[in-house]
């Protein structure tokens, strides 16, 4: 069991990361209501959030700029239009998805950008390519993380090799990413300890990004708090791809650091998140996401099921468990 002090007290080293624009943008192609991004920025400042992730640095040669909102591409001028010079303690982050970004062209020198943090997303088999992005971003002056996706599908030996390779790079944070929402807290403890051992060896931090397919995103996140993980991802009203992510309002309610304030989160959800749901934007736990989570599968089939407004859950279960 966790020491009570690790859950009831607080560590000044904990950083809360808002991923609403990035993971939430996967729900609506990054088209948010007018004023949403600015209001979210102001809410994060009031709530004491440490890092705000704006979205992806997606390659415009691969993705049509006319089919996505601005947080898909996170042009520096666009971010500056929201945050100005961001003369605050909150850092601004974007995600560089390995194989889907032109980082040498689109990530400029830190001194010329409002961005502070580059989060490099990769699968375990693409670690060498991720290292290239990390080293490039570091040379340009940014802090970095390596977000190892679909960790539930990776072999432990491969994870250890990846962390050993990453430990020798200038990356600041190793990120556990439960992409399929299939990990249970007992498993998460072991994974967090594995990451933590390599982080201690190489003087890195560890982060957690959880999905809510089995309604365990919050449970897994607070499990990681007790295991010494410092970087905690969350989204307002759990908005994120498929079943969504750890709820920001739940996390702020749990953390005991007086710097965090839940009231601005409640205010923002009332004014922006609930109306978005009422107008038809769909995300969050549902039976189809539970099923892909239990089966440790990518939620793409459940996302398609949701978009088609299907309700034949038993047929869906048969489809995703078919061996044909």
């Amino acid at each position: 069991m966790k020491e009570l002090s690790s859950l009831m007290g607080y560590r000044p080293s904990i950083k809360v990361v808002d991923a609403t624009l990035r993971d939430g943008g996967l729900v609506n192609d990054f088209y948010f209501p007018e004023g949403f991004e600015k209001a979210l920025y102001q809410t994060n400042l009031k709530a004491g959030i440490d890092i705000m992730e704006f979205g992806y640095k997606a390659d415009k040669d691969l993705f049509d700029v006319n089919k996505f909102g601005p947080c898909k591409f996170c042009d520096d001028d666009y971010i500056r239009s929201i945050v100005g010079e961001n003369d605050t303690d909150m850092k601004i982050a974007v995600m560089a998805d390995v194989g889907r970004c032109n980082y040498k062209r689109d990530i400029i020198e830190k001194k010329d950008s409002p961005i502070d943090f580059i989060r490099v997303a990769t699968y375990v088999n693409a670690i060498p390519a991720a290292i290239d992005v990390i080293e490039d971003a570091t040379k340009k002056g940014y802090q970095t993380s390596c977000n190892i996706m679909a960790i539930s599908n990776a072999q432990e030996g491969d994870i250890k090799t990846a962390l050993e390779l990453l430990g020798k790079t200038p990356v600041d944070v190793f990120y556990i990413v439960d992409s399929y929402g299939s990990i249970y807290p007992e498993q998460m403890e072991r994974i967090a300890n594995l990451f933590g051992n390599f982080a201690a060896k190489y003087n890195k931090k560890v982060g957690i990004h959880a999905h809510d397919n089995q309604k365990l995103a919050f449970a897994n996140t607070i499990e990681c708090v007790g295991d010494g993980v410092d970087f905690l991802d969350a989204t307002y009203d759990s908005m994120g791809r498929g079943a969504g992510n750890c709820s920001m309002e739940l996390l702020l309610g749990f953390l005991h650091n007086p710097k965090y304030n839940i009231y601005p989160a409640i205010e923002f959800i009332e004014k922006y998140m609930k109306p978005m749901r009422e107008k038809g934007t769909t995300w969050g736990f549902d039976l189809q996401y539970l099923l892909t989570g239990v089966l440790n599968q990518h939620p793409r089939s459940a996302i398609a099921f949701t978009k088609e407004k299907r309700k034949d859950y038993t047929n869906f279960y048969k489809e995703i468990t078919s061996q044909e």
Side-chain angles (χ1 to χ4, degrees), residues 273-288:
M273 307 304 294
K274 297 304 183 187
M276 200 160 38
R277 280 188 186 271
E278 290 166 3
K279 291 178 181 178
T281 305
T282 303
W283 72 85
F285 173 83
D286 208 336
L287 195 54
Q288 62 272 28

PDB file of all heavy atoms in Angstrom, residues 273-288:
ATOM      1  N   MET A 273     -17.745  23.602 -21.831  1.00  0.00           N
ATOM      2  CA  MET A 273     -17.746  22.175 -22.129  1.00  0.00           C
ATOM      3  C   MET A 273     -19.165  21.605 -22.241  1.00  0.00           C
ATOM      4  O   MET A 273     -19.474  20.873 -23.192  1.00  0.00           O
ATOM      5  CB  MET A 273     -16.964  21.403 -21.060  1.00  0.00           C
ATOM      6  CG  MET A 273     -15.549  21.906 -20.807  1.00  0.00           C
ATOM      7  SD  MET A 273     -14.505  21.970 -22.274  1.00  0.00           S
ATOM      8  CE  MET A 273     -14.343  20.243 -22.685  1.00  0.00           C
ATOM      9  N   LYS A 274     -20.019  21.933 -21.298  1.00  0.00           N
ATOM     10  CA  LYS A 274     -21.382  21.401 -21.335  1.00  0.00           C
ATOM     11  C   LYS A 274     -22.143  21.861 -22.578  1.00  0.00           C
ATOM     12  O   LYS A 274     -22.809  21.038 -23.237  1.00  0.00           O
ATOM     13  CB  LYS A 274     -22.134  21.782 -20.058  1.00  0.00           C
ATOM     14  CG  LYS A 274     -21.535  21.194 -18.779  1.00  0.00           C
ATOM     15  CD  LYS A 274     -21.422  19.676 -18.839  1.00  0.00           C
ATOM     16  CE  LYS A 274     -20.893  19.112 -17.516  1.00  0.00           C
ATOM     17  NZ  LYS A 274     -20.618  17.649 -17.618  1.00  0.00           N
ATOM     18  N   PRO A 275     -22.063  23.153 -22.962  1.00  0.00           N
ATOM     19  CA  PRO A 275     -22.734  23.563 -24.200  1.00  0.00           C
ATOM     20  C   PRO A 275     -22.193  22.849 -25.439  1.00  0.00           C
ATOM     21  O   PRO A 275     -22.957  22.552 -26.367  1.00  0.00           O
ATOM     22  CB  PRO A 275     -22.456  25.073 -24.271  1.00  0.00           C
ATOM     23  CG  PRO A 275     -22.265  25.484 -22.849  1.00  0.00           C
ATOM     24  CD  PRO A 275     -21.566  24.325 -22.208  1.00  0.00           C
ATOM     25  N   MET A 276     -20.900  22.542 -25.452  1.00  0.00           N
ATOM     26  CA  MET A 276     -20.328  21.837 -26.595  1.00  0.00           C
ATOM     27  C   MET A 276     -20.929  20.434 -26.700  1.00  0.00           C
ATOM     28  O   MET A 276     -21.265  19.971 -27.789  1.00  0.00           O
ATOM     29  CB  MET A 276     -18.805  21.779 -26.441  1.00  0.00           C
ATOM     30  CG  MET A 276     -18.088  21.530 -27.731  1.00  0.00           C
ATOM     31  SD  MET A 276     -16.329  22.005 -27.723  1.00  0.00           S
ATOM     32  CE  MET A 276     -15.763  21.550 -26.113  1.00  0.00           C
ATOM     33  N   ARG A 277     -21.079  19.777 -25.571  1.00  0.00           N
ATOM     34  CA  ARG A 277     -21.724  18.459 -25.574  1.00  0.00           C
ATOM     35  C   ARG A 277     -23.172  18.560 -26.050  1.00  0.00           C
ATOM     36  O   ARG A 277     -23.637  17.735 -26.840  1.00  0.00           O
ATOM     37  CB  ARG A 277     -21.710  17.863 -24.162  1.00  0.00           C
ATOM     38  CG  ARG A 277     -20.406  17.216 -23.731  1.00  0.00           C
ATOM     39  CD  ARG A 277     -20.644  16.528 -22.401  1.00  0.00           C
ATOM     40  NE  ARG A 277     -19.462  15.978 -21.787  1.00  0.00           N
ATOM     41  CZ  ARG A 277     -19.001  14.750 -22.001  1.00  0.00           C
ATOM     42  NH1 ARG A 277     -19.626  13.958 -22.850  1.00  0.00           N
ATOM     43  NH2 ARG A 277     -17.930  14.307 -21.373  1.00  0.00           N
ATOM     44  N   GLU A 278     -23.868  19.569 -25.560  1.00  0.00           N
ATOM     45  CA  GLU A 278     -25.280  19.727 -25.906  1.00  0.00           C
ATOM     46  C   GLU A 278     -25.488  19.986 -27.396  1.00  0.00           C
ATOM     47  O   GLU A 278     -26.527  19.648 -27.958  1.00  0.00           O
ATOM     48  CB  GLU A 278     -25.885  20.867 -25.080  1.00  0.00           C
ATOM     49  CG  GLU A 278     -26.029  20.516 -23.596  1.00  0.00           C
ATOM     50  CD  GLU A 278     -26.309  21.731 -22.725  1.00  0.00           C
ATOM     51  OE1 GLU A 278     -26.455  22.842 -23.279  1.00  0.00           O
ATOM     52  OE2 GLU A 278     -26.375  21.556 -21.487  1.00  0.00           O
ATOM     53  N   LYS A 279     -24.467  20.561 -28.032  1.00  0.00           N
ATOM     54  CA  LYS A 279     -24.559  20.829 -29.473  1.00  0.00           C
ATOM     55  C   LYS A 279     -24.097  19.646 -30.316  1.00  0.00           C
ATOM     56  O   LYS A 279     -24.049  19.743 -31.546  1.00  0.00           O
ATOM     57  CB  LYS A 279     -23.750  22.081 -29.814  1.00  0.00           C
ATOM     58  CG  LYS A 279     -24.376  23.360 -29.264  1.00  0.00           C
ATOM     59  CD  LYS A 279     -23.525  24.583 -29.587  1.00  0.00           C
ATOM     60  CE  LYS A 279     -24.167  25.844 -29.013  1.00  0.00           C
ATOM     61  NZ  LYS A 279     -23.344  27.054 -29.265  1.00  0.00           N
ATOM     62  N   GLY A 280     -23.739  18.535 -29.661  1.00  0.00           N
ATOM     63  CA  GLY A 280     -23.499  17.316 -30.399  1.00  0.00           C
ATOM     64  C   GLY A 280     -22.086  16.803 -30.448  1.00  0.00           C
ATOM     65  O   GLY A 280     -21.836  15.728 -31.030  1.00  0.00           O
ATOM     66  N   THR A 281     -21.116  17.518 -29.868  1.00  0.00           N
ATOM     67  CA  THR A 281     -19.759  16.989 -29.823  1.00  0.00           C
ATOM     68  C   THR A 281     -19.726  15.838 -28.821  1.00  0.00           C
ATOM     69  O   THR A 281     -20.167  15.988 -27.683  1.00  0.00           O
ATOM     70  CB  THR A 281     -18.758  18.075 -29.407  1.00  0.00           C
ATOM     71  OG1 THR A 281     -18.884  19.191 -30.298  1.00  0.00           O
ATOM     72  CG2 THR A 281     -17.328  17.554 -29.483  1.00  0.00           C
ATOM     73  N   THR A 282     -19.215  14.694 -29.263  1.00  0.00           N
ATOM     74  CA  THR A 282     -19.316  13.460 -28.471  1.00  0.00           C
ATOM     75  C   THR A 282     -17.954  12.966 -28.028  1.00  0.00           C
ATOM     76  O   THR A 282     -17.033  12.848 -28.833  1.00  0.00           O
ATOM     77  CB  THR A 282     -20.005  12.354 -29.293  1.00  0.00           C
ATOM     78  OG1 THR A 282     -21.289  12.817 -29.718  1.00  0.00           O
ATOM     79  CG2 THR A 282     -20.173  11.090 -28.464  1.00  0.00           C
ATOM     80  N   TRP A 283     -17.838  12.693 -26.749  1.00  0.00           N
ATOM     81  CA  TRP A 283     -16.647  12.032 -26.199  1.00  0.00           C
ATOM     82  C   TRP A 283     -17.032  11.426 -24.864  1.00  0.00           C
ATOM     83  O   TRP A 283     -18.091  11.699 -24.314  1.00  0.00           O
ATOM     84  CB  TRP A 283     -15.485  13.020 -26.013  1.00  0.00           C
ATOM     85  CG  TRP A 283     -15.640  13.998 -24.893  1.00  0.00           C
ATOM     86  CD1 TRP A 283     -15.322  13.818 -23.573  1.00  0.00           C
ATOM     87  CD2 TRP A 283     -16.204  15.314 -24.967  1.00  0.00           C
ATOM     88  NE1 TRP A 283     -15.627  14.940 -22.836  1.00  0.00           N
ATOM     89  CE2 TRP A 283     -16.162  15.872 -23.669  1.00  0.00           C
ATOM     90  CE3 TRP A 283     -16.717  16.097 -26.016  1.00  0.00           C
ATOM     91  CZ2 TRP A 283     -16.632  17.157 -23.392  1.00  0.00           C
ATOM     92  CZ3 TRP A 283     -17.181  17.367 -25.742  1.00  0.00           C
ATOM     93  CH2 TRP A 283     -17.135  17.885 -24.436  1.00  0.00           C
ATOM     94  N   GLY A 284     -16.178  10.591 -24.327  1.00  0.00           N
ATOM     95  CA  GLY A 284     -16.374  10.075 -22.980  1.00  0.00           C
ATOM     96  C   GLY A 284     -16.700   8.595 -22.948  1.00  0.00           C
ATOM     97  O   GLY A 284     -16.966   7.951 -23.964  1.00  0.00           O
ATOM     98  N   PHE A 285     -16.675   8.056 -21.751  1.00  0.00           N
ATOM     99  CA  PHE A 285     -16.887   6.621 -21.532  1.00  0.00           C
ATOM    100  C   PHE A 285     -18.201   6.152 -22.135  1.00  0.00           C
ATOM    101  O   PHE A 285     -19.231   6.805 -22.012  1.00  0.00           O
ATOM    102  CB  PHE A 285     -16.875   6.314 -20.029  1.00  0.00           C
ATOM    103  CG  PHE A 285     -17.257   4.895 -19.715  1.00  0.00           C
ATOM    104  CD1 PHE A 285     -16.306   3.893 -19.785  1.00  0.00           C
ATOM    105  CD2 PHE A 285     -18.556   4.568 -19.386  1.00  0.00           C
ATOM    106  CE1 PHE A 285     -16.654   2.571 -19.511  1.00  0.00           C
ATOM    107  CE2 PHE A 285     -18.917   3.262 -19.108  1.00  0.00           C
ATOM    108  CZ  PHE A 285     -17.963   2.258 -19.168  1.00  0.00           C
ATOM    109  N   ASP A 286     -18.137   5.004 -22.800  1.00  0.00           N
ATOM    110  CA  ASP A 286     -19.329   4.306 -23.274  1.00  0.00           C
ATOM    111  C   ASP A 286     -18.945   2.841 -23.464  1.00  0.00           C
ATOM    112  O   ASP A 286     -17.758   2.490 -23.441  1.00  0.00           O
ATOM    113  CB  ASP A 286     -19.846   4.909 -24.582  1.00  0.00           C
ATOM    114  CG  ASP A 286     -21.360   4.726 -24.744  1.00  0.00           C
ATOM    115  OD1 ASP A 286     -21.914   3.797 -24.124  1.00  0.00           O
ATOM    116  OD2 ASP A 286     -21.979   5.496 -25.506  1.00  0.00           O
ATOM    117  N   LEU A 287     -19.936   2.013 -23.668  1.00  0.00           N
ATOM    118  CA  LEU A 287     -19.710   0.568 -23.678  1.00  0.00           C
ATOM    119  C   LEU A 287     -18.722   0.140 -24.754  1.00  0.00           C
ATOM    120  O   LEU A 287     -17.894  -0.749 -24.531  1.00  0.00           O
ATOM    121  CB  LEU A 287     -21.050  -0.150 -23.859  1.00  0.00           C
ATOM    122  CG  LEU A 287     -21.091  -1.647 -23.543  1.00  0.00           C
ATOM    123  CD1 LEU A 287     -20.562  -1.933 -22.147  1.00  0.00           C
ATOM    124  CD2 LEU A 287     -22.518  -2.167 -23.677  1.00  0.00           C
ATOM    125  N   GLN A 288     -18.784   0.768 -25.922  1.00  0.00           N
ATOM    126  CA  GLN A 288     -17.878   0.368 -26.997  1.00  0.00           C
ATOM    127  C   GLN A 288     -16.411   0.634 -26.629  1.00  0.00           C
ATOM    128  O   GLN A 288     -15.516  -0.140 -27.001  1.00  0.00           O
ATOM    129  CB  GLN A 288     -18.222   1.070 -28.317  1.00  0.00           C
ATOM    130  CG  GLN A 288     -18.127   2.574 -28.327  1.00  0.00           C
ATOM    131  CD  GLN A 288     -19.421   3.246 -27.896  1.00  0.00           C
ATOM    132  OE1 GLN A 288     -20.198   2.675 -27.122  1.00  0.00           O
ATOM    133  NE2 GLN A 288     -19.674   4.444 -28.404  1.00  0.00           N
TER     134      GLN A 288
END
